[in-house]
């Protein structure tokens, strides 16, 4: 692959091109869209978690002021299932359309939807729809091990050597169970769908991390060709994975718009967000590690179970990182599912790796304690030479440097390993460390670039910016290739009618769009050079296009600044409005025999402060070192890591969705009772990027930074808590009562 090492713009801290639109309120989010005659929809949610609808009476609701219609199974019209997903297409979260039958499988499941002139009228009428149920006892229990599994025998995910024998004969061992609770995505922007139907075509304004997939799924569900559906997400108030795939409210809004021939807006409430649009599942993981007394790992076994819903087989994939992060001859990862009466789980920032690394990295810390080894040294000792699970080389791996640079910046050499031995200003300090990793990948992408006679450029791709900086990064790539300043480059995203682009997931947008946008920009440049040599009046007329180049926004003889003509002038002289180029790139995800193991790496160092007198636990500081290939733009990249670290603090200390075991209802279903890390919980976070380009992935050597910053944080925190208190918390989140020297009171 060609390598691009020099650039005036790649790697330069560039302001977000969409920043002014956001801070001035001009950026249009899904629910900002209003149309003449717009109606509001409000779903009726089941108040049981298991059973069936006995009777649904909408008579009273239909008579209420402003109500236009009440839809339910009998009158919503035809909605279709989607065929099984193949690769990155046709993925949706709930595998069947809303209202398909009368069975209730989770609390909050939509059973009807009211459409009215105002949102207040719709909501009031929704509360007046009378639904009676045949009630069964639900199972929303989040304790998983020892409970009935979906798979009789957990599936083998990765295996090498003879783990059982190695564990049996091990000199030093860890065998512990780690649990992580249900976590709910809580982006500030609520899920929303605004559906416009013109009698033939649907225009859907959605909160989507994947507009092209959303279009294809909705076309299937509505039973129309994809050309008759256009999905638009210009801006997203974040998603964290919860907005990757369509949820039932989108099909409901579209069906209502079709039935009524009027635009319909449906905004999912914060309470519904805890029921209807996904969560990270409850997970239990047993980790067994074995080592020689000198610290060499001899066996790693991870057995995880995650819950899933009645409608899906969602696998959290907790063993994604385990097979290649450390060197060991013997390894086994298994995964099983336990069905529950809950809404569908879905990907949440760093799915699999984040909870998986909480368990694995906690166990690594426990083993280091047993070995009386420094946890950084212990990890360095077990650094693999290659990906031992696939027997292929790492594309670019600098894990050791993440650990050593992080240790240096943190001041790790001053650590005294004895429990509670470090104090500052009367506060006990705890220092913890964890390693982390996340996949790097490309998915199939198309893009187009247009160079225009006013000196500006336009780049278009059917991907979307979910807040990570994709608008800015695309402008940087075009600027790199053409020399046109970022301020003169329009980036058009978030529309399924554009050339098909990647999902904003897996942290792979930047790696995916880079080759396609570079190719499109190169082709547009070639088209421009052709104009320059063919047009009357052009100073380049008759020259060979291959002797010319577009550089700094000017057409010139290769390498010669003299005689350069601005791109705008070349096009104006030729009386041509614009030239364009298309680019595309293949994905790496479908490659069944990859040549390289593509991943990003990092190390998390955490200091906590513990005051047992007042049971006060604080995160004092975090040092994060990330090896994520070349960094396109250090500003948004740092934002991504900082935000992810804050989310890791929430995971370690606060976040947990609780279900009432009788009703199956999520009970802390609001931002007051579902506690997340906020500014006051956020310490000083020092982010360092190693910035080694990964040229095996793309010409610029960029990978992605969306998720890795969250991986490892929780394990580093609980290891720091152990260092300060001597208490090992294996069940997240860490509760103050876990740390108090009192007998636990069992309130059964
Ligand atoms: Mo991310 S959980 O792949 O949006």
């Amino acid at each position: 692959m060609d390598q691009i090492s020099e650039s005036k713009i790649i790697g330069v801290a560039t302001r977000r091109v969409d920043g002014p639109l956001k801070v001035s309120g001009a950026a249009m989010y899904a629910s900002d869209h209003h149309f003449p005659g717009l109606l509001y929809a409000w779903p009726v949610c089941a108040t049981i978690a298991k059973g069936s609808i006995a009777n649904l009476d909408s008579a009273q609701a239909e008579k209420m002021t402003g109500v236009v219609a009440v839809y339910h199974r009998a009158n919503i019209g035809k909605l279709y299932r989607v065929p099984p997903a193949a690769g990155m297409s046709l993925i949706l979260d709930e595998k069947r359309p809303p209202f398909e039958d009368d069975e209730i499988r989770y609390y909050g499941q939509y059973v009807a939807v009211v459409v009215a002139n105002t949102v207040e009228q719709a909501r009031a009428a929704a509360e007046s729809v009378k639904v009676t149920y045949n009630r069964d006892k639900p199972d929303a229990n989040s304790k998983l091990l020892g409970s009935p599994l979906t798979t009789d025998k957990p599936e083998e995910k990765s295996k090498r050597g003879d783990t059982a024998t190695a564990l049996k004969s091990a000199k030093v061992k860890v065998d512990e169970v780690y649990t992580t609770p249900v976590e709910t995505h809580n982006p500030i922007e609520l899920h929303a769908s605004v559906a416009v139907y013109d009698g033939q075509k649907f225009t859907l304004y959605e909160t989507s991390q994947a507009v092209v997939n959303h279009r294809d799924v909705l076309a299937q569900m509505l039973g129309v060709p994809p050309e008759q559906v256009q999905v638009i997400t210009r801006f997203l108030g974040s998603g964290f994975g919860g907005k990757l795939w369509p949820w039932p409210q989108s099909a409901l809004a579209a069906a209502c718009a079709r039935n009524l021939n009027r635009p319909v807006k449906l905004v999912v409430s914060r309470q519904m967000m805890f029921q209807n649009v996904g969560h990270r599942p409850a997970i239990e993981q047993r980790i067994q590690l074995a080592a020689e007394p000198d610290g060499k790992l001899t066996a790693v076994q991870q057995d995880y179970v995650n819950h899933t819903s009645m409608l899906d087989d969602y696998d959290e994939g907790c063993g994604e990182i385990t097979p290649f992060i450390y060197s060991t001859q013997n390894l086994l990862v298994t995964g099983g599912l336990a069905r529950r009466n809950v809404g569908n789980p879905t990907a949440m920032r760093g799915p699999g790796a984040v909870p998986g690394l909480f368990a694995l990295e906690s166990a690594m810390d426990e083993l280091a304690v047993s070995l009386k080894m420094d946890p950084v040294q212990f990890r360095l000792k077990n650094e693999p030479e290659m990906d031992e699970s696939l027997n292929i080389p790492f594309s670019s791996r600098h894990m050791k440097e993440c650990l050593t640079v992080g240790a240096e910046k943190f001041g790790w050499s001053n650590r005294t390993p004895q429990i509670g031995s470090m104090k500052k200003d009367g506060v006990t300090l705890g220092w913890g460390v964890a390693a982390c990793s996340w996949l790097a990948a490309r998915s199939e992408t198309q893009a187009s670039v247009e160079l225009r006679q006013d000196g500006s450029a336009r780049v278009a791709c059917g991907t979307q910016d979910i807040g990570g900086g994709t608008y800015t990064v695309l402008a940087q790539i075009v600027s790199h290739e053409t020399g046109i300043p970022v301020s003169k480059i329009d980036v058009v995203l978030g529309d399924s009618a554009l050339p098909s682009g990647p999902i904003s997931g897996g942290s792979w947008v930047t790696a995916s769009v880079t080759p396609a946008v570079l190719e499109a920009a190169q082709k547009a440049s070639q088209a421009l050079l052709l104009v320059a040599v063919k047009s009357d009046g052009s100073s380049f007329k008759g020259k060979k296009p291959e002797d010319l180049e577009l550089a700094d926004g000017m057409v010139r003889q290769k390498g010669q600044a003299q005689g350069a003509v601005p791109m705008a002038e070349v096009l104006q002289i030729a009386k041509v409005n614009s030239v364009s180029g298309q680019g595309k790139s293949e994905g790496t995800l479908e490659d069944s025999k990859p040549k390289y193991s593509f991943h990003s790496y990092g190390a998390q160092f955490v200091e906590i402060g513990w005051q047992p007198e007042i049971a006060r636990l604080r995160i004092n500081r975090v040092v994060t070192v990330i090896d994520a290939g070349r960094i396109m733009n250090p500003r948004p990249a740092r934002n991504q890591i900082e935000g992810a670290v804050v989310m890791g603090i929430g995971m370690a200390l606060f976040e947990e969705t609780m279900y009432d075991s009788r009703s199956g209802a999520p009970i802390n279903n609001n931002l007051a009772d579902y506690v997340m890390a906020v500014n006051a919980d956020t310490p000083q976070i020092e982010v360092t990027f190693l910035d080694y380009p990964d040229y095996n992935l793309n010409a610029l050597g960029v990978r992605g930074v969306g998720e890795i910053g969250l991986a490892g944080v929780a394990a580093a925190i609980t290891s720091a808590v152990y260092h300060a208190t001597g208490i090992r918390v294996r069940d997240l989140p860490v509760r103050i009562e876990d740390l108090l020297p009192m007998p636990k009171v069992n309130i059964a």
Side-chain angles (χ1 to χ4, degrees):
M1 193 170 292
D2 291 344
Q3 301 184 1
I4 300 174
S5 53
E6 295 295 312
S7 180
K8 289 180 193 154
I9 180 76
I10 304 299
V12 175
T14 306
R15 287 194 181 187
R16 288 175 189 248
V17 297
D18 52 333
L21 286 175
K22 286 191 172 175
V23 296
S24 65
M28 292 284 279
Y29 292 81
S31 65
D32 291 334
H33 290 89
H34 287 269
F35 298 94
L38 182 79
L39 297 170
Y40 295 82
W42 194 276
V44 179
C45 295
T47 53
I48 66 165
K50 186 181 181 188
S52 61
I53 300 171
N55 188 47
L56 192 147
D57 176 4
S58 58
Q60 189 192 330
E62 279 165 34
K63 280 185 236 138
M64 289 172 69
T65 310
V67 172
V68 177
V70 180
Y71 293 112
H72 41 80
R73 186 172 66 76
N75 65 352
I76 185 74
K78 197 78 189 136
L79 291 170
Y80 297 88
R81 291 193 187 188
V82 167
M88 277 295 135
S89 66
L90 288 178
I91 304 181
L92 79 166
D93 268 302
E94 232 169 82
K95 300 300 178 209
R96 43 178 86 191
F99 306 168
E100 201 190 57
D101 57 29
D102 281 339
E103 197 179 332
I104 304 300
R105 297 171 178 85
Y106 62 92
Y107 187 95
Q109 183 182 321
Y110 301 144
V111 296
V113 61
V114 175
V115 187
N117 289 321
T118 70
V119 69
E120 293 82 3
Q121 290 164 342
R123 183 175 192 166
E127 282 161 11
S128 301
V129 174
K130 294 195 187 81
V131 190
T132 54
Y133 299 96
N134 305 309
R135 232 171 242 273
D136 279 342
K137 192 174 156 28
D139 182 0
N141 178 12
S142 62
K143 294 286 171 258
L144 302 178
L145 288 189
S147 62
L149 298 179
T150 302
T151 44
D152 297 341
K153 194 163 159 282
E155 264 177 50
E156 205 171 276
K157 305 285 184 184
S158 185
K159 185 180 186 323
R160 61 180 181 261
D162 179 355
T163 307
T165 305
L167 285 169
K168 213 175 287 167
S169 62
K171 307 254 170 37
V172 192
K173 256 198 277 200
V174 166
D175 181 357
E176 297 290 351
V177 173
Y178 304 85
T179 72
T180 48
V182 172
E183 292 177 85
T184 299
H185 314 69
N186 269 293
I188 289 301
E189 183 198 25
L190 302 168
H191 288 241
S193 298
V194 179
V196 181
Y197 182 63
D198 69 1
Q200 200 192 11
K201 190 189 157 189
F202 293 89
T203 307
L204 308 177
Y205 300 86
E206 300 282 354
T207 47
S208 174
Q209 293 177 235
V211 290
V212 172
N213 174 72
H214 199 116
R215 173 200 61 198
D216 294 344
V217 167
L218 265 289
Q220 286 279 347
M221 293 185 90
L222 295 163
V224 300
E227 295 76 21
Q228 288 175 24
V229 179
Q230 185 177 6
V231 172
I232 292 171
T233 302
R234 296 286 184 209
F235 295 95
L236 196 78
S238 199
F240 305 122
K243 292 170 180 168
L244 273 171
W245 321 122
W247 291 101
Q249 97 280 343
S250 175
L252 284 184
C256 291
R258 173 161 65 185
N259 291 344
L260 296 165
N261 216 355
R262 284 175 68 177
V264 172
K265 177 185 295 193
L266 196 167
V267 179
V268 174
S269 72
R270 186 63 65 178
Q271 288 195 355
M272 291 176 206
M273 297 254 294
F274 282 83
Q275 308 160 168
N276 301 77
V277 289
H279 54 268
R280 198 197 293 280
I283 304 160
E284 295 200 4
Q285 303 179 65
R286 180 179 175 195
I287 305 273
Q288 299 175 79
L289 302 178
E292 295 292 336
D294 68 353
K296 177 76 195 77
L297 276 173
T298 53
V300 174
Q301 181 166 346
Q302 177 182 27
D303 302 290
Y304 69 88
V305 177
N306 66 260
H307 87 203
T308 188
S309 68
M310 296 298 161
L311 288 171
D312 199 3
D313 299 316
Y314 177 82
D315 177 7
E316 175 74 10
C318 295
E320 190 198 327
I321 304 297
T322 314
F324 65 83
I325 189 168
Y326 297 116
S327 174
T328 177
Q329 278 192 346
N330 306 294
L331 177 133
L332 179 62
V333 177
T334 73
L337 305 178
R339 286 210 186 281
R340 293 292 183 261
N341 291 106
V342 294
N344 255 34
T346 194
M348 183 174 184
R349 204 175 197 174
V354 164
L357 281 166
F358 165 65
L360 181 67
E361 288 300 283
S362 293
M364 286 293 285
D365 196 70
E366 298 204 45
L367 190 52
V369 170
S370 299
L371 289 161
K372 298 191 171 49
M373 253 183 108
D374 177 86
V376 172
Q377 293 305 322
F378 177 44
R379 287 174 172 89
L380 292 174
K381 186 170 178 79
N382 289 289
E383 174 74 8
E385 298 285 323
M386 62 186 306
D387 183 326
E388 294 178 3
S389 67
L390 301 174
N391 280 317
I392 52 174
F394 293 113
S395 175
S396 169
R397 168 166 167 145
H398 301 87
M399 173 67 96
K400 279 183 154 177
E401 199 173 326
C402 291
L403 286 161
T404 53
V405 168
E408 177 66 30
K409 288 186 182 284
F410 190 82
W412 188 258
S413 61
N414 297 319
R415 182 178 187 263
T416 53
Q418 294 74 29
I419 307 275
S421 63
M422 297 180 72
K423 308 256 185 211
K424 190 180 161 197
D425 304 331
V427 175
T428 305
L429 302 182
W431 285 10
V433 63
C436 64
S437 179
W438 178 250
L439 62 88
R442 276 167 40 189
S443 75
E444 210 177 287
T445 299
Q446 298 169 25
S448 70
V449 167
E450 191 185 9
L451 305 175
R452 303 186 287 208
Q453 55 81 31
D454 63 357
S456 71
R458 175 187 191 266
V459 51
C461 181
T463 186
Q464 47 288 308
D465 188 334
I466 68 170
T470 303
Y471 276 111
T472 311
V473 159
L474 263 69
Q476 287 179 278
I477 300 171
V478 173
S479 179
H480 165 84
E481 187 58 35
T482 62
I484 298 167
V486 159
S487 60
K488 286 190 163 178
I489 299 169
D490 292 338
V491 185
V492 187
L493 307 175
D495 185 339
S496 63
L498 298 170
S500 177
I503 68 166
S504 294
S507 305
W508 63 58
V509 169
T510 305
S512 303
V513 297
T514 299
V517 173
L518 278 176
E519 187 190 344
Q522 281 157 4
K523 292 209 172 138
S525 303
Q526 285 157 12
L528 176 71
L529 302 182
L530 205 60
V531 168
V533 300
K534 295 251 182 198
S535 313
D536 292 335
S538 164
S539 56
F540 303 104
K541 174 135 198 205
K543 295 222 158 41
K544 287 196 189 125
E546 55 270 29
D547 294 337
L548 305 182
E549 65 179 357
L550 172 64
D552 297 331
M554 318 258 268
V555 174
R556 64 184 197 188
Q557 294 267 58
K558 266 188 184 158
Q560 282 182 33
Q562 217 185 2
V565 179
M567 167 188 98
E569 219 178 294
V570 171
L571 290 168
Q572 284 160 15
I573 289 167
K575 300 187 173 60
V576 167
N577 176 55
S578 70
V579 289
S580 63
Q582 319 297 319
K584 69 174 198 294
S585 75
E586 306 299 320
T588 59
L589 289 160
E590 281 80 21
D591 194 349
S592 59
K593 276 208 178 326
K595 284 217 303 262
Y596 297 102
S597 173
F598 290 112
H599 296 91
S600 288
Y601 300 90
Q604 310 277 7
F605 290 80
V606 171
E607 177 184 299
I608 61 126
W610 170 238
Q611 293 166 271
E613 305 82 357
I614 54 170
R616 186 172 194 266
L617 174 65
R618 299 286 298 164
I619 312 291
N620 289 348
R621 60 193 179 100
V622 178
V623 169
T624 301
V625 183
I626 298 291
D627 164 30
R630 173 185 281 176
I631 299 304
M632 290 289 295
N633 186 342
R635 269 202 246 211
R638 196 178 63 236
N639 291 163
Q640 284 297 303
I641 303 301
E642 287 169 340
V645 167
V646 174
M647 222 166 152
I649 293 170
M651 174 183 177
L653 302 185
F654 308 121
E655 293 198 47
E656 175 175 18
T657 306
M658 287 177 255
Y659 296 87
D660 182 325
S661 60
R662 296 157 303 180
S663 66
I667 45 179
N668 54 339
N669 58 357
N670 56 76
L671 294 186
D673 296 319
Y674 184 88
V675 188
M676 287 181 286
V678 295
N679 284 3
D681 303 299
T682 300
Q684 180 195 332
I685 301 169
E686 187 184 335
V687 179
T688 303
F689 292 110
L690 295 186
D691 216 9
Y692 289 109
D694 185 346
Y695 292 123
N696 294 316
L697 194 58
N698 52 51
L700 288 167
V702 298
R703 292 205 288 250
V705 290
E707 285 156 286
I708 187 164
L710 173 51
V713 176
I717 290 174
T718 53
S719 298
V721 167
Y722 175 80
H723 182 224
T725 66
I727 295 166
R728 180 69 64 175
V729 181
R730 302 188 185 91
D731 303 302
L732 293 185
V734 177
R735 294 171 181 81
I736 287 304
E737 54 267 38
D738 294 332
L739 307 181
L740 295 177
M742 293 196 304
K744 278 198 186 172
V745 182
N746 204 351
I747 312 166

